[in-house]
Amino acid sequence: MTNPSQLDEIGIGGLGASRKRVEDARFIRGRGNYVDDITLPGMLHMEILRSPVAHARIKSIDTSKAWEIPGVRLVLTGEMAAQRNLAWMPTLSYDTQAVLATDKVRFQGQEVACVVADDPYTAKDGCEAIVVEYEPLPAIVNPRQAHAPDAPIIRDDKEGQTDNTCYAWEVGDKAATDRAFEQADVVSKLSLHYPRSHPSPIENCGAVASYDPATEKLTVYMTTQAPHIIRAAVALVAELPEHMIRIVSPDIGGGFGNKVPVYPGYVCAILCSILLGTPVKWIEDKSGNLISTGFARDMYFDGELALRRDGRILGVRFHADTDQGAFFSDAQPSKFKIGLVHSAFACYDIPTGHITARGAYTNKAPGGVAYRCSFRVTEAMFFQERIIAAAAADLGMDPAEFRRINLVRDDQFPYRTPFGFLTDSGQYQKCLDIGLAAIDYEQFLREKEEAAKHGRLLGIGISTMTEPLGAGNSREYDILGIKMFDSAELRVHPTGKAILRTGAKTQGQGHETTWAQIVAHELGIPAADVVVEEGDTDTAPFGMGTYASRSTPVAGAAVAMVARKIRAKARKLAAHLLEVSEEDVEWELGRFYIRSAPDRGVSIQECAAAAYGNMPDGMEPGLENNAYYDPPNLTWPFACYIVTVEVDPESGVWDVLRVVAVDDCGVRINPMIVEGQIMGGLTEAYAMSNMQFITFDADGNCVGSNYMDYLLPTAWETPGFELHEVVTPCPHHPLGAKGVGECAAVGGPAAFVNAVLDALSDTGVRNIDMPLLPDRVWEAINSGQNVSGAPPVRS
Ligand code: MCN
Ligand code: CUN
C-alpha cells in the first residue's frame, strides 16, 4: 500500500535522475581547489632536473653552482637520498624504482636531482646550474631489442637480473588449444602493436608536502586517485608512522589512470619538506608529465584464431610482449603481472584458449598500465576486435554475422570464459542488433558498394566487447597485499541533512553528484541535502581509490549498503515515534508508516531528529554508520560501437561519417553522467586511433613529447556520437549497476581502425598500427603492405 504523499524519486535527484553535476558549479566558475591552488605559510618550491639521455652511467654530479644561487634552499641528489635509504623505492608491482638516479639513468626524463628555492623560477635556475657528467650506453626502445641475446642489461642494479625480462606469464589450456587448432578449417592470424599513449590530464601531477617538526605530522596535498594506497606506500617508503601521515587529494583536473602510481616527484617533495621543516610545493610541467609519468599500452600481439568453416571459433591463442620501461611500476592487482589481459574474448563463446606474455625492461619511462584501461583491458579488447574483423574477412563472412554466431547467448549466463572469468549477465546480440539498426547497416553496405564504383572508399567498423570492471573481490585482487574492497561512511545530522564519505576519489567522474543520488534512492533524503567528500585520509574511510571503473561497482555499492544500515536504525526510531512495534512499520521512499494506518507515518528527517533528541531507552544516540563492501565478482558491462568512415585515397586522410554506441552498464544512476563518460571515452578512442603519436628514436629520445605533436582532440575535429542504451542489471550489485567509466575508451579504438581497414579491404592490407596517420594510410594504400608503428630496432 502506498501513500499519495509518496516522494517523486526523480524530483529529489534519486536513482535514474539526470541530475546536474554539483561539482561543476565550482569547476566551470574557476573556483576548483587544485593542488597548485594550495599555498601554505613559508612554502618553498621544488623543481626536478631530468636526464637528457635515455641510458648512461652517471660519472659525477656537481651541485656547487646551484647552491650558490641566492634563494636556493636545498639541492637534493640521489646520494643524499641514499643516506635516508630513499634513493630507491618499491613499486606497486613489487619491483624497485629510482627516486633520484645514483648509478645510471635509464630513460630520458628520469629524475636526477631536485632543487628547492623561494620560487619555482629560482628552483629551475638551480637545476640548470647542476653539472652532470654522463657516460652514454646503448639505448633499448622495444622488447625485440630488449630480449636480444647481446642486449645490454638495463636493470644491472637488481641482483640476479641477467637479462631484460621483467616477468613471464601464461594462462589457459595449451594442449586443448593445440588440438583446437589441429581441427580448424581456417586459421586466422594477426600481429599488431598497440602504441604507447598518454592519459594527458589537464592538471599535471604535483604535491604540496608539509612536514611539521613540532607535531611530527606529515600532510601531503597531492594529485592521487588512491589516497589510502599512497598513505600506506609513504609509510613504508619513508618509514613514517601511518597515523602521522595525512594524504589529501583535493580537486583533480582529470586522472585517467595517470595519477595512480607513486612518482619520484612526490617522494622528493616529502623528503625535502622533512629535511627543511617547511612546506614544499612541486608542480610538474607539461613536458615532464608527458615524458616521465605513467605511459599506457606499448604492447605487441601475435595471435591466431582456430575457425570452423561455418564461422564458429574453436580456440584462440596469442602471445603478448609488453614494454614496461625501466621500472616495473604498474598499479595492478598483484596476482596478474599483465593485468586482466586474459579477459580478452570474454564476450565470445570460445571453448578453449592459451595466452603467453612477457614483459621487457627498456629505456623508457615506467609505464604500461594506466589510461582508461582496467588493467590492460584496452589492449586486450583492441586485439580481440581487430582479429575478429580479420577472421570474418578470412572466412568471407559478414563481420556482424560472424560476431552474432560467436557472442555468448543470453541463456548461457553465468558463463565461464576459457581463462577463468565468470561473466554473469548481458544481452550481447540485442546490443549488436540495436547498433546495426541505428547505423542502418544494410543501407550503408549498399552505399559503400555504390561509392566504390566512383573510386570512393567507404568503410564500416564494428567493435563488441565486455570488460571486467570493479576490482576486486578480495579473494583474487590485492595491491601490495591490501585486498581490493571499498567503503562508505554516512552521517545523518539532526535536521536530516547528511555527509557521505567514501574510499574512492573522483577526478571528474561526478561522484559528488551520483553518490548523493544513491543516498536519495535508499533513504529519500533529497540528493541536494547530501554533501559528498572524498580524498582526505584523515576523514575518509579506508578504500582503494578510483581506477578500473571500480567506484560504482565497489564504493557505490558500499554507499547503498551504509544507507541501508541507516534505514534499519531509522526504522527502530520510527517504531518508537509511532508507538508501534518495528514489525508493524512499512517503508516507502523517505517515510515509515504504520501498515494498518498508512496515513500515520514519520519522515526520514523526523527519524534523524529523534536519533539525537528522542531515542528510545537503551538505544545509542546518533544516526551514523559505515560499510565496507567486498564485491562477489567483477561487473561486466557490454558495448557495441560502430563507426563509418570515408578514406581519401589521394592523401590517406580519413573522415568519420557516423559513430553509433550501444552501452549496457546495467542500471544507470545518472544517465547524463553515463553519457558524458561514454562521449569522453569515444573522444579518446578517436584520438588514439587517429592522431596521438608519441614514440622513441633508436637512441631513446622521446619523439612527440609535447602537445604540438601529441594532439588532444578539440570539439572541432571530434565527431558526433549517437548513443543508445540497453539495461541488463548486474545480478550481484545492490543497485544492479555496472561500471562504465572506461568502456568507450576500451572498445572504441577497434571500431575506428576496423572501419578504415574495411575501406581498404581491396588492397589486401591486414593491419595499420595506430595512430592511423594519413601517411601510414597512404603508404598502406600505395604499397598494399601492412604498416607497423613500432619503435625502431637499432641496427
Ligand atoms: N555511473 C552511473 N551509472 C552506472 C555506472 C556509472 O551513473 N551504471 C556514474 C558513476 O556514478 C560515476 C561515473 O558514472 O559518476 C563513472 O563511474 P564508474 O564507471 O564507476 O567509474 P569510476 O567512477 O571508478 O571512474 C574511473 C574511470 C576511469 S578508471 C578512468 S581512467 C577515467 C574515467 O573514469 N578517468 C576519468 N572517466 C573519467 N572522467 C573524467 N571526467 N575524468 C577522468 O580522469
Ligand atoms: Cu587504467 S586508467 Mo583508470 O583505471 O584510472
Side-chain angles (χ1 to χ4, degrees):
M1 208 183 310
T2 53
N3 187 292
S5 68
Q6 174 135 32
L7 281 176
D8 161 22
E9 174 153 6
I10 300 298
I12 62 162
L15 195 74
S18 282
R19 180 178 183 230
K20 278 194 187 153
R21 292 168 32 116
V22 294
E23 41 272 268
D24 289 352
R26 62 180 192 281
F27 291 160
I28 62 177
R29 291 187 176 105
R31 301 303 295 262
N33 182 36
Y34 301 94
V35 170
D36 205 9
D37 293 322
I38 288 161
T39 300
L40 299 178
M43 187 175 79
L44 300 173
H45 298 265
M46 186 187 96
E47 289 288 332
I48 295 174
L49 175 70
R50 299 185 178 280
S51 169
V53 291
H55 199 193
R57 205 159 290 288
I58 295 179
K59 292 181 73 181
S60 65
I61 303 180
D62 180 357
T63 59
S64 55
K65 288 273 182 308
W67 280 105
E68 285 166 14
I69 297 175
V72 167
R73 305 290 160 188
L74 179 67
V75 185
L76 187 71
T77 60
E79 214 169 294
M80 289 160 72
Q83 288 163 14
R84 295 240 165 186
N85 205 16
L86 275 178
W88 291 81
M89 62 180 182
T91 72
L92 297 178
S93 277
Y94 293 100
D95 193 5
T96 49
Q97 174 172 358
V99 175
L100 291 175
T102 45
D103 52 338
K104 284 204 304 190
V105 287
R106 292 177 171 82
F107 67 90
Q108 186 182 56
Q110 186 179 338
E111 299 79 1
V112 175
C114 54
V115 176
V116 180
D118 293 346
D119 60 73
Y121 312 101
T122 309
K124 246 204 157 100
D125 289 345
C127 286
E128 276 168 25
I130 298 172
V131 182
V132 186
E133 219 186 322
Y134 296 104
E135 180 188 301
L137 297 165
I140 294 177
V141 293
N142 60 43
R144 217 173 110 198
Q145 191 136 36
H147 294 309
D150 57 343
I153 294 168
I154 296 171
R155 293 301 303 276
D156 49 357
D157 58 289
K158 289 179 79 173
E159 221 170 285
Q161 182 80 35
T162 54
D163 56 21
N164 290 318
T165 301
C166 80
Y167 71 84
W169 196 72
E170 136 177 50
V171 65
D173 185 338
K174 184 175 184 314
T177 306
D178 289 346
R179 279 197 300 281
F181 275 84
E182 282 159 22
Q183 287 157 13
D185 298 323
V186 176
V187 172
S188 217
K189 294 177 196 277
L190 188 71
S191 297
L192 60 81
H193 175 230
Y194 198 131
R196 278 222 162 186
S197 56
H198 196 270
S200 328
I202 292 177
E203 184 195 15
N204 300 326
C205 295
V208 178
S210 176
Y211 179 73
D212 183 339
T215 60
E216 295 183 359
K217 180 142 185 174
L218 172 71
T219 304
V220 190
Y221 301 87
M222 61 185 283
T223 48
T224 178
Q225 300 175 218
H228 283 99
I229 300 184
I230 296 283
R231 186 181 67 185
V234 170
L236 295 170
V237 174
E239 293 175 9
L240 293 171
E242 200 171 352
H243 67 301
M244 297 305 268
I245 305 168
R246 176 181 173 210
I247 305 295
V248 185
S249 188
D251 286 335
I252 299 187
F256 301 105
N258 190 236
K259 292 165 182 168
V260 183
V262 185
Y263 294 122
Y266 300 145
V267 179
C268 289
I270 291 168
L271 179 55
C272 289
S273 177
I274 291 172
L275 291 173
L276 291 164
T278 56
V280 171
K281 177 187 274 189
W282 164 64
I283 300 292
E284 190 178 60
D285 59 22
K286 276 282 168 204
S287 316
N289 183 270
L290 252 180
I291 63 174
S292 75
T293 63
F295 283 93
R297 339 284 193 229
D298 210 347
M299 188 159 172
Y300 300 74
F301 287 90
D302 289 287
E304 45 194 355
L305 286 178
L307 304 163
R308 216 162 59 189
R309 178 72 52 208
D310 65 2
R312 281 309 299 251
I313 305 171
L314 302 177
V316 55
R317 64 182 167 209
F318 64 86
H319 174 75
D321 273 305
T322 63
D323 184 331
Q324 297 293 151
F327 309 106
F328 185 27
S329 69
D330 290 3
Q332 61 190 2
S334 305
K335 208 171 142 182
F336 304 108
K337 293 299 166 213
I338 186 176
L340 303 185
V341 153
H342 53 310
S343 62
F345 300 95
C347 69
Y348 297 107
D349 181 15
I350 302 181
T352 185
H354 184 238
I355 302 172
T356 56
R358 185 167 56 156
Y361 287 120
T362 61
N363 292 115
K364 296 176 177 177
V369 76
Y371 190 10
R372 241 173 169 171
C373 59
S374 193
F375 316 122
R376 287 200 186 276
V377 165
T378 313
E379 295 95 307
M381 298 313 154
F382 181 73
F383 178 70
Q384 165 195 305
E385 285 309 293
R386 290 284 299 111
I387 196 169
I388 287 285
D394 290 344
L395 285 168
M397 264 180 98
D398 176 275
E401 189 52 28
F402 180 60
R403 284 180 174 80
R404 192 193 318 281
I405 291 175
N406 288 291
L407 285 171
V408 172
R409 293 188 320 270
D410 302 2
D411 60 7
Q412 286 177 286
F413 293 110
Y415 177 84
R416 183 69 69 181
T417 79
F419 304 118
F421 288 105
L422 193 71
T423 56
D424 46 29
S425 59
Q427 303 176 65
Y428 300 169
Q429 278 88 357
K430 180 176 174 185
C431 292
L432 177 63
D433 287 341
I434 290 176
L436 294 173
I439 204 101
D440 204 344
Y441 191 62
E442 300 300 332
Q443 172 64 18
F444 182 81
L445 295 186
R446 283 191 292 274
E447 279 171 33
K448 181 185 159 179
E449 219 179 283
E450 189 55 32
K453 291 179 192 155
H454 304 96
R456 288 173 56 209
L457 300 178
L458 300 192
I460 186 162
I462 305 174
S463 174
T464 46
M465 60 107 211
T466 181
E467 67 166 320
L469 294 183
N473 55 74
S474 68
R475 291 186 310 282
E476 286 198 289
Y477 300 96
D478 74 275
I479 289 183
L480 289 182
I482 302 171
K483 303 285 192 184
M484 298 186 77
F485 50 81
D486 227 288
S487 59
E489 182 210 73
L490 181 59
R491 298 181 174 187
V492 183
H493 311 316
T495 58
K497 317 286 181 192
I499 181 166
L500 175 88
R501 296 188 172 101
T502 86
K505 174 57 206 167
T506 186
Q507 313 128 42
Q509 294 90 345
H511 295 178
E512 289 170 50
T513 307
T514 47
W515 295 165
Q517 292 184 247
I518 297 176
V519 175
H521 172 70
E522 294 291 339
L523 292 176
I525 297 177
D529 289 352
V530 183
V531 70
V532 175
E533 191 189 276
E534 291 181 338
D536 183 338
T537 56
D538 266 10
T539 53
F542 190 97
M544 294 299 271
T546 289
Y547 41 86
S549 303
R550 63 188 298 280
S551 305
T552 303
V554 195
V559 175
M561 299 317 268
V562 73
R564 288 174 194 183
K565 287 186 184 177
I566 295 285
R567 195 166 73 207
K569 181 165 182 184
R571 177 184 295 274
K572 292 191 194 321
L573 288 156
H576 168 67
L577 293 174
L578 294 166
E579 297 176 329
V580 292
S581 78
E582 226 189 300
E583 291 71 49
D584 296 331
V585 171
E586 286 286 330
W587 168 254
E588 64 181 2
L589 190 65
R591 179 177 181 269
F592 292 100
Y593 60 90
I594 301 173
R595 186 173 305 121
S596 55
D599 55 329
R600 283 192 52 214
V602 288
S603 68
I604 186 76
Q605 288 80 4
E606 287 167 305
C607 294
Y612 297 89
N614 180 16
M615 53 281 185
D617 281 348
M619 180 189 274
E620 249 182 87
L623 197 55
E624 306 182 354
N625 219 321
N626 59 30
Y628 281 78
Y629 189 79
D630 183 2
N633 190 2
L634 298 149
T635 70
W636 294 90
F638 183 81
C640 169
Y641 303 117
I642 307 183
V643 171
T644 55
V645 297
E646 172 155 12
V647 179
D648 175 10
E650 303 290 323
S651 64
V653 169
W654 50 280
D655 288 323
V656 176
L657 303 175
R658 287 178 69 196
V659 180
V660 163
V662 187
D663 280 89
D664 179 357
C665 61
V667 172
R668 297 182 177 198
I669 300 159
N670 182 322
M672 181 191 69
I673 286 186
V674 167
E675 294 194 347
Q677 288 292 313
I678 294 165
M679 290 189 208
L682 287 172
T683 304
E684 291 178 321
Y686 170 66
M688 282 185 268
S689 65
N690 183 282
M691 62 177 76
Q692 295 191 324
F693 185 44
I694 186 164
T695 188
F696 295 82
D697 70 14
D699 294 324
N701 295 308
C702 185
V703 181
S705 59
N706 64 75
Y707 286 98
M708 296 299 284
D709 295 327
Y710 190 78
L711 302 178
L712 297 191
T714 67
W716 192 80
E717 56 267 305
T718 302
F721 306 122
E722 302 163 43
L723 306 186
H724 299 266
E725 169 183 348
V726 169
V727 176
T728 313
C730 173
H732 60 76
H733 187 278
L735 301 169
K738 306 180 180 189
V740 77
E742 291 157 312
C743 293
V746 170
F752 289 98
V753 175
N754 283 345
V756 173
L757 282 152
D758 179 54
L760 268 50
S761 56
D762 286 345
T763 61
V765 174
R766 273 180 97 72
N767 184 52
I768 307 172
D769 279 337
M770 293 195 290
L772 274 64
L773 302 168
D775 60 321
R776 291 188 186 179
V777 175
W778 187 89
E779 184 188 329
I781 293 171
N782 285 281
S783 67
Q785 304 285 319
N786 296 345
V787 179
S788 163
V793 176
R794 176 195 290 275
S795 54

